Amino acid sequence: MRAGSTVNTMKKNRKLIFSIFVDFNKAGGDLQEYEPRHRLNVNNTLISYLHDQYAKKCGADYKLVGYGKMFNELRDYLKKKKIYEGEYQSIQHFKFYLLEKFAEEYDEIVYFDSDVVPITSENIFKEFDFSKGVLMHGFHDDTPTNSINLSLEGQLSYTPMPRSVSVKYALMRVLCENKKVKPVIDRVLNTGIMGFTSQYIQDLNYIKSLPKTAKEINKARTKKSTFFQKEIQEMFNMNNESIVTYLISASGIPFQSMDPDWHWVWNHRNSDEEICTHAKIVHIINKRFEKFFGIERVS
């Protein structure tokens, strides 16, 4: 079906909120080097409980998915297609693998990262009309000067890392420009909180799109010159946020930008600030769970 086609009205409107748990004590590969793994491990029980409680308030089912058969299936697929880029990247693709699986059973689905905490009693399924488009939030994670220079001149005042939001944004722009499509938003979308109907998940077709998109990313990375400086271009990789922003744009899938209060970002740039009083769902990117929950650790 094409984007915007009608969902089967005979199907009961079932809702789901799900998250992914990675036990970093058992994780291998590059996840062993993932810096905040301990803080995620020790806080997961509490955060998944809060996810479950919020799902109940919303009249939705809740699922917490860990390593197992489905993850192994995805990893084998990525390796078979020669697009495997490590465990961390595979976990990011796993979000969309699960969205496609759950779309067979549920009509409206919300995904939360394991560092996302809902602090509202408002029902996300009622506050947003999911039929109007994919629900996500995008933001620039850089200084205003660098954000402007990146957008207008393709330059940064520093050498970025592969997971820098600026690199993700640049890759998304290049992918869209190569296909002559306009991005749905002038920033890269964050996949820490997502809302989909089952139809839009089908229309996105994320997993099957990966091999073709990987070829486009490789061309973008190895091209002799692009609008963006060489140090940015060399960092291009199979990032899920660049890819999903590009696919939504290229596929013509309806999109609605999530209000920042519904995806309030708490990262290294505002880590000394208090949580916004208007925030409804907090994305604790800086992993300062102790400060967020008001927990004092005794050494």
Side-chain angles (χ1 to χ4, degrees):
M1 286 188 180
R2 292 177 298 174
S5 52
T6 305
V7 177
N8 185 355
T9 55
M10 297 297 292
K11 187 178 179 182
K12 185 178 179 181
N13 188 12
R14 297 193 63 194
K15 298 174 176 58
L16 172 72
I17 295 175
F18 81 96
S19 187
I20 296 171
F21 170 58
V22 177
D23 186 344
F24 286 95
N25 294 322
K26 300 178 181 178
D30 56 338
L31 286 178
Q32 280 296 317
E33 302 170 4
Y34 187 53
E35 185 180 348
R37 62 188 181 276
H38 172 70
R39 282 171 282 167
L40 285 166
N41 253 28
V42 299
N43 288 280
N44 183 263
T45 299
L46 173 57
I47 292 174
S48 61
Y49 169 78
L50 295 174
H51 288 177
D52 184 38
Q53 292 302 299
Y54 182 67
K56 286 182 171 66
K57 292 177 183 177
C58 295
D61 290 344
Y62 175 67
K63 294 182 186 291
L64 179 64
V65 184
Y67 275 149
K69 181 181 178 182
M70 288 192 291
F71 179 76
N72 291 333
E73 287 174 351
L74 172 63
R75 182 170 49 194
D76 290 345
Y77 171 80
L78 297 174
K79 289 183 176 180
K80 180 180 178 181
K81 296 295 182 178
K82 299 185 182 352
I83 53 176
Y84 173 78
E85 289 189 346
E87 296 292 281
Y88 177 85
Q89 207 78 291
S90 299
I91 288 291
Q92 308 309 313
H93 298 316
F94 193 41
K95 302 174 186 180
F96 295 94
Y97 185 81
L98 291 173
L99 279 168
E100 293 176 6
K101 291 291 184 183
F102 293 146
E104 298 172 6
E105 184 179 359
Y106 294 92
D107 301 283
E108 296 181 352
I109 303 173
V110 167
Y111 169 78
F112 287 159
D113 265 354
S114 58
D115 57 359
V116 166
V117 182
I119 58 175
T120 182
S121 59
E122 295 180 41
N123 187 336
I124 191 171
F125 296 100
K126 290 184 177 179
E127 294 299 320
F128 295 94
D129 183 349
F130 282 40
S131 69
K132 290 184 177 179
V134 174
L135 185 65
M136 296 174 70
H137 174 62
F139 61 95
H140 291 296
D141 183 19
D142 215 322
T143 63
T145 299
N146 269 314
S147 295
I148 293 171
N149 288 344
L150 180 67
S151 178
L152 299 181
E153 301 175 9
Q155 303 290 316
L156 291 170
S157 62
Y158 62 92
T159 300
M161 300 185 343
R163 292 208 297 268
S164 296
V165 175
S166 293
V167 171
K168 300 174 187 180
Y169 166 78
L171 173 59
M172 178 276 294
R173 277 242 331 236
V174 171
L175 290 173
C176 286
E177 287 168 5
N178 287 347
K179 286 294 180 180
K180 296 180 172 57
V181 298
K182 183 179 180 180
V184 293
I185 190 170
D186 188 31
R187 61 200 67 183
V188 71
L189 296 172
N190 186 280
T191 59
I193 304 172
M194 300 186 285
F196 282 89
T197 64
S198 58
Q199 186 60 65
Y200 291 141
I201 293 168
Q202 293 175 42
D203 293 337
L204 185 66
N205 202 21
Y206 181 95
I207 298 300
K208 286 189 177 179
S209 298
L210 284 178
K212 182 178 180 180
T213 306
K215 292 179 181 179
E216 295 171 12
I217 291 172
N218 186 57
K219 288 180 182 177
R221 182 174 55 246
T222 57
K223 189 177 179 180
K224 287 186 178 180
S225 63
T226 68
F227 172 75
F228 295 100
Q229 69 187 69
K230 182 180 178 182
E231 291 81 3
I232 298 173
Q233 182 181 343
E234 290 174 343
M235 296 292 178
F236 288 171
N237 60 84
M238 288 284 289
N239 178 267
N240 75 112
E241 295 178 335
S242 302
I243 292 172
V244 73
T245 312
Y246 159 65
L247 289 177
I248 290 171
S249 304
S251 302
I253 296 173
F255 167 77
Q256 50 183 330
S257 182
M258 180 179 281
D259 189 295
D261 289 348
W262 279 93
H263 186 154
W264 193 81
V265 174
W266 199 34
N267 59 15
H268 66 291
R269 297 196 182 277
N270 62 348
S271 61
D272 293 328
E273 298 177 13
E274 297 299 320
I275 302 300
C276 172
T277 56
H278 302 294
K280 302 177 189 297
I281 303 177
V282 180
H283 191 174
I284 312 174
I285 295 176
N286 59 33
K287 309 300 185 289
R288 297 191 66 179
F289 300 113
E290 289 80 8
K291 180 177 178 180
F292 178 82
F293 290 117
I295 298 171
E296 297 221 4
R297 301 287 180 189
V298 178
S299 58

